[in-house]
């Protein structure tokens, strides 16, 4: 009984490998879908690892668990961006309102 079960397992694994070999050796929709799935999985992993090291596409490093840590933008970069959008002479400046109680 145990020998028969082991023999069946060997035959099933052999049949499984034959199916896999046939799938990979002949063009088919399944093989195309499999190759696209592998390609998308590998590219997703590559992008995720690259973003972990140096966030570029996302504004913060992606994490699978926990709260993501946003990057802080330097004030100099914000000032350069403002100057590119509107010249410094045309920019509105905010001033704190005067409080009559402080007089």
């Amino acid at each position: 009984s145990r020998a028969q079960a082991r023999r069946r397992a060997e035959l099933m694994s052999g049949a499984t490998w034959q199916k896999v070999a046939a799938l990979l050796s002949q063009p088919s929709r399944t093989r195309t879908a499999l190759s696209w799935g592998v390609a998308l999985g590998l590219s997703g992993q590559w992008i995720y690892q690259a973003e972990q090291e140096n966030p570029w596409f996302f504004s913060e490093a992606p994490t699978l668990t926990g709260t993501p840590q946003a990057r802080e933008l330097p004030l100099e970069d914000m000032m350069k961006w403002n100057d590119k959008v509107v010249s410094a002479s045309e920019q509105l400046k905010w001033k704190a309102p005067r409080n009559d109680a402080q007089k």
Side-chain angles (χ1 to χ4, degrees):
S1 167
R2 273 185 126 178
Q4 289 176 346
R6 189 176 347 151
R7 180 71 180 143
R8 262 190 253 132
E10 289 174 0
L11 289 175
M12 289 175 66
S13 66
T16 303
W17 283 113
Q18 287 177 349
K19 289 179 184 177
V20 170
L23 172 66
L24 296 177
S25 65
Q26 300 170 357
S28 68
R29 286 182 182 257
T30 307
R31 187 178 80 172
T32 302
L34 178 65
S35 64
W36 273 103
V38 169
L40 290 174
L42 290 175
S43 62
Q45 179 187 15
W46 176 62
I47 291 170
Y48 181 79
Q49 288 175 350
E51 287 295 315
Q52 286 291 327
E53 294 173 10
N54 184 19
W56 175 78
F57 186 72
F58 298 101
S59 62
E60 54 197 31
T63 59
L64 292 178
T65 60
T67 305
Q69 302 298 315
R71 295 186 300 173
E72 185 176 324
L73 297 174
L75 182 60
E76 297 83 30
D77 289 349
M78 296 300 287
M79 297 304 284
K80 288 178 188 176
W81 181 81
N82 282 343
D83 289 339
K84 289 180 182 178
V85 174
V86 177
S87 66
S89 61
E90 295 177 0
Q91 290 180 14
L92 299 176
K93 306 276 191 255
W94 181 82
K95 294 180 182 178
R98 293 180 57 187
N99 190 352
D100 292 335
Q102 291 179 347
K103 287 185 181 180

